[in-house]
Amino acid sequence: MYEQGFHRLGGSAFAWLQPNGSWGWSNAGLVTGDGVSLLVDTLYDLKLTQAMLDGFGEITKTAPIATLVNTHANGDHCYGNELVTGATIVASKAAAHEMTDVPPSMMAALATMPGETGDVFRRYFGSFDFEGITLTLPTQTFEGHLHLDVGGKPVELIEVGPAHTMGDVIVHSPDDGVVFTGDILFIGGTPIVWAGPLLNWVTACDRIIELGAATIVPGHGPITNADGVRSVRDYLATVDAEAAKRQVAGMNAWDAARDIHQELWGRIPTLPEWSEFGRIVVNVDTSYRSREQGHQSANVVEQFRRMAVIEGFLPG
């Protein structure tokens, strides 16, 4: 376990880390310039987001948040947007479009469903309160790159999706030597590739390393460096290669995921320590989909059920 809450980074950049980095427990960041700040992401519900804003409060009293960047569309990085009043909300065009796919009301409904489906979602998301959230969308979008000025400080937004989602963005503050990666990095937890292809994510990891930042703040988990990026890169490249072999051999994606999990366990030195290892189900399915036109993926509810099976929470 690492220290949660406020972290001072290099220069005048800061991070807000949440405990254990598992489902929904995401990180946020703050970059300050002369009299203004840029916030990187909000959190999964209003209570968590308000606690984060309060934690940054001494800084934002003198450098109010003028810009909010959502690194992607998942709710644990944008559901708290409504609390950042008066800021320009920036995201990639693809992320802004994708944000309406899973509104807070849908998460609230799933978390209250009876039976196995509700039990699975409550296991992963039962710590969060999705009631009363108004989905607040970006007011400015971009494609590719966007250069911002934060009180005289340059900040670069770099679109690296589709990878984790359709519109992933990383935030680079060169003066501070910091990169905020959103969910391009899960440190200590298994990455999950909803959009893919996996090789796009591998390329995104290479892009982060090329920036040469000393401090890298992941979307989930503790602050890291280039070695942490390489561990995620190597996992994704290995899963994609192993999935391709099984796809050519005619194995279906669900069987392939279970087979790859058994083979990889212990082969990648850090893998036994990673949480959420059941995400291999989604990662293999996405790998198959990227190579097979017309591949029929299981629906999201079934994907979560299968993850729970691999992790031993449901019978297979």
Side-chain angles (χ1 to χ4, degrees):
M1 182 66 68
Y2 51 91
E3 185 179 353
Q4 66 186 74
F6 179 88
H7 289 253
R8 184 179 295 274
L9 309 176
S12 51
F14 311 87
W16 185 264
L17 305 186
Q18 294 199 94
N20 77 46
S22 62
W23 289 100
W25 295 104
S26 57
N27 300 328
L30 190 73
V31 177
T32 62
D34 185 8
V36 295
S37 296
L38 176 148
L39 179 67
V40 182
D41 284 331
T42 56
L43 306 179
Y44 219 175
D45 66 26
L46 301 183
K47 180 179 178 180
L48 291 171
T49 298
Q50 189 60 60
M52 178 263 293
L53 293 173
D54 291 345
F56 286 144
E58 287 303 313
I59 299 165
T60 56
K61 282 179 183 176
T62 56
I65 299 168
T67 306
L68 163 61
V69 177
N70 293 135
T71 57
H72 61 289
N74 287 170
D76 53 339
H77 297 261
C78 67
Y79 277 1
N81 282 4
E82 66 183 278
L83 297 183
V84 189
T85 56
T88 299
I89 305 175
V90 182
S92 70
K93 183 177 180 181
H97 178 77
E98 196 174 20
M99 279 181 193
T100 58
D101 290 353
V102 184
S105 58
M106 181 184 294
M107 293 300 298
L110 286 168
T112 57
M113 287 185 68
E116 183 182 88
T117 297
D119 289 343
V120 169
F121 274 83
R122 281 187 289 276
R123 176 174 184 84
Y124 293 124
F125 304 111
S127 298
F128 308 103
D129 182 4
F130 301 111
E131 298 291 345
I133 298 173
T134 300
L135 183 63
T136 303
L137 298 175
T139 54
Q140 178 181 348
T141 63
F142 73 99
E143 295 179 279
H145 290 74
L146 181 64
H147 299 277
L148 298 176
D149 181 287
V150 181
K153 177 185 289 186
V155 174
E156 183 179 18
L157 310 187
I158 305 168
E159 186 177 15
V160 294
H164 170 63
T165 64
M166 292 303 296
D168 303 294
V169 168
I170 60 175
V171 180
H172 181 212
S173 178
D175 288 1
D176 296 311
V178 175
V179 176
F180 299 92
T181 71
D183 283 1
I184 293 300
L185 287 186
F186 292 75
I187 299 300
T190 306
I192 185 165
V193 193
W194 291 116
L198 275 70
L199 292 182
N200 274 15
W201 197 330
V202 168
T203 300
C205 289
D206 289 337
R207 183 74 179 97
I208 293 168
I209 293 169
E210 288 168 3
L211 292 173
T215 304
I216 300 172
V217 181
H220 294 258
I223 294 165
T224 192
N225 55 27
D227 288 340
V229 183
R230 292 186 188 98
S231 68
V232 172
R233 183 196 188 282
D234 291 349
Y235 167 82
L236 294 165
T238 301
V239 168
D240 199 44
E242 294 294 333
K245 289 192 294 187
R246 287 160 177 79
Q247 191 171 15
V248 169
M251 187 180 291
N252 68 50
W254 174 214
D255 289 340
R258 289 180 286 188
D259 193 51
I260 292 168
H261 168 67
Q262 292 297 324
E263 183 171 322
L264 288 186
W265 197 259
R267 181 172 137 193
I268 297 177
T270 58
L271 194 56
E273 303 170 8
W274 287 6
S275 59
E276 296 83 49
F277 53 83
R279 291 171 177 172
I280 187 74
V281 170
V282 176
N283 299 342
V284 170
D285 187 83
T286 300
S287 180
Y288 270 50
R289 190 175 67 242
S290 69
R291 282 184 295 272
E292 180 185 326
Q293 188 173 6
H295 170 74
Q296 293 298 308
S297 297
N299 64 40
V300 171
V301 171
E302 176 62 16
Q303 295 282 39
F304 273 99
R305 191 194 71 80
R306 292 178 179 181
M307 285 187 268
V309 167
I310 281 195
E311 293 174 4
F313 305 131
L314 289 178

